[in-house]
């Protein structure tokens, strides 16, 4: 079968691999679409210190059940079913797992990062990781995992209908946070530097779209929040500027949820941590209930899938599209590889 392999810095090829052997407790999935995410781009650029090398990337999966192992509980899956996959592992023993937060397992190995991923014609995975997504197209299935990361951040922020939530960064994960916060009844302020992304954010539920580089940004934010600042800020960029923006603009007794990774150190005025008595929380990956919530949202049929998918490419175009993404980052939401 054909697989995409990132062999080193800016070196991507399509290679021939053996079909995966199906263990009795596994499901064989015929891959339809797999999304490239930011971690894959960083692996391509040689900047992902977590990734093995070489690696088959891909953990945003839309596929079809091809074969079911003999020890998989009967009635859960059937051949031809549309599915996605929970791409994270959990050891079951570390502090995170003991606290029922397997999404942040100390020994997690995400598909396409710490182990080979799904950018192949077929993949075999334990049945517990297969998520029934019947009722959705295979393309829609490939959007569930990245959107679930944003959904999880909203859960970490304990967002309710009395909150004003500011989401910094309107990429795919930030948009997921905007959708979920809106579904919970919160008033949402989307922040980005790209007008096209801000317009899409408003289509997905944001009441306001603000450009953080504009001189009147702070005043506009105070005006919207009656001088208080947002109750919850979700940081989905990962830069020193946006991290400081989150801490500076969040309300007193507010919550800051951090998704983005900053490649360089961030210096804070730590007095604001104390003065505002802030809750600053990390958010990593997603839980099964986040995947379920995204599925239910997608089934409503209101998600503008075509607007979220910037490009659909064939495996042989993987190297070119990654190079394009690196030089046109502001233009890309999601790139799907079709198998």
């Amino acid at each position: 079968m054909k697989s995409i392999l990132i062999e080193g810095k800016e070196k991507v090829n399509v290679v021939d691999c053996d079909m995966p052997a199906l263990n009795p407790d596994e499901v064989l999935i015929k891959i339809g679409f797999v999304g490239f995410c930011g971690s894959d781009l960083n692996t391509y650029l040689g900047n992902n210190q977590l990734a093995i090398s070489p690696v088959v990337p891909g953990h945003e999966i839309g596929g079809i059940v091809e074969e079911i192992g003999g020890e998989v509980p009967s009635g859960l899956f059937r051949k031809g079913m549309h599915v996605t996959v929970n791409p994270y592992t959990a050891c079951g023993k570390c502090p995170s797992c003991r606290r029922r937060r397997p999404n942040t397992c100390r020994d997690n190995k995400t598909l396409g990062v710490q182990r080979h991923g799904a950018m192949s014609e077929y993949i075999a995975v334990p049945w517990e990781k297969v998520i029934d997504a019947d009722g959705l197209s295979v393309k829609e299935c490939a959007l569930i995992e990245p959107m679930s990361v944003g959904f999880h951040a909203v859960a970490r922020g304990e967002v309710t209908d009395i909150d004003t939530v500011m989401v910094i960064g309107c990429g795919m994960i930030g948009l997921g946070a905007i959708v979920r916060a809106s579904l919970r009844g919160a008033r949402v302020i989307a922040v980005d530097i790209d007008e096209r992304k801000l317009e899409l954010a408003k289509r997905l539920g944001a009441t306001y779209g603000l450009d953080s580089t504009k001189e009147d940004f702070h005043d506009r934010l105070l005006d919207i929040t009656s001088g208080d600042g947002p109750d919850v800020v979700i940081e989905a960029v990962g830069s020193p500027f946006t991290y400081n923006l989150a801490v500076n603009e969040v309300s007193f007794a507010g919550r800051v949820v951090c998704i983005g990774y900053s490649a360089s150190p961030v210096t804070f005025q730590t007095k604001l941590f104390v003065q505002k008595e802030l809750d600053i929380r990390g958010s990593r990956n997603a839980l099964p209930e986040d995947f379920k919530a995204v599925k239910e949202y997608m089934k409503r049929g209101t998600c503008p899938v075509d607007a979220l998918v910037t490009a659909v490419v064939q495996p042989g175009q993987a190297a070119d599209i990654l190079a394009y993404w690196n030089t046109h980052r502001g233009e890309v939401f999601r790139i799907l590889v079709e198998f």
Side-chain angles (χ1 to χ4, degrees), residues 47-250:
N47 296 331
N48 190 346
Q49 296 181 358
L50 297 178
I52 61 172
S53 183
V55 65
V56 176
H59 57 262
E60 302 172 0
I61 300 165
I64 301 170
V65 172
E66 179 74 13
E67 188 177 347
I68 302 166
E71 295 180 7
V72 177
S74 62
L76 290 181
F77 309 105
R78 68 178 187 282
K79 185 173 181 177
M81 175 182 284
H82 291 190
V83 295
T84 189
V85 173
N86 183 328
Y88 326 120
T89 64
C91 69
K93 300 176 182 178
C94 73
S96 299
C97 290
R98 294 199 304 269
R99 291 170 182 146
R100 300 184 181 179
R101 290 163 65 179
N103 59 298
T104 186
C105 173
R106 181 176 59 198
D107 300 314
N108 168 64
K109 291 180 173 58
T110 298
L111 285 171
V113 184
Q114 295 97 343
R115 55 189 174 129
H116 288 313
M119 285 201 176
S120 300
E121 293 179 85
Y122 293 88
I123 186 172
V125 296
W127 69 266
E128 297 95 336
K129 295 297 182 179
V130 181
I131 299 171
D132 171 6
D134 256 4
L136 298 178
S137 70
V138 179
K139 181 185 285 188
E140 288 172 325
C141 291
L143 299 179
I144 291 175
E145 191 277 341
M147 194 164 282
S148 73
V149 177
F151 272 46
H152 183 65
V154 172
R156 290 285 292 145
E158 300 181 58
V159 171
T160 72
D161 58 355
I162 64 171
D163 288 320
T164 295
V165 179
M166 182 168 77
V167 178
I168 307 174
C170 297
M172 189 67 190
I173 291 172
L175 291 176
I178 287 166
V179 169
R180 188 54 167 159
S182 177
L183 290 173
R184 288 192 174 198
R187 184 173 60 155
V188 181
I189 304 166
V191 177
D192 205 284
I193 59 174
D194 188 301
E195 193 60 36
R196 292 167 298 179
K197 290 185 176 182
L198 291 173
E199 287 302 316
L200 183 53
K202 286 189 275 190
R203 285 180 62 185
L204 289 168
T207 304
Y208 304 93
L210 302 183
D211 184 336
S212 59
T213 64
K214 295 293 178 65
E215 290 182 2
D216 64 347
F217 172 81
H218 175 72
D219 293 336
R220 287 275 291 127
L221 194 58
L222 290 181
D223 182 59
I224 291 168
T225 60
S226 301
D228 293 333
D231 305 290
V232 181
V233 177
I234 296 175
E235 199 288 333
V237 176
S239 76
F241 173 79
T242 53
Y243 262 88
N244 273 284
L245 189 70
V247 171
N248 291 340
E249 300 294 354
V250 72

Side-chain angles (χ1 to χ4, degrees), residues 5-13 43-46 53-55:
L5 187 69
I6 300 178
E7 297 184 279
K9 183 177 180 180
E10 298 182 25
K11 187 178 180 182
V12 182
N13 285 302
T43 301
Y44 164 76
L45 295 173
S53 183
V55 65

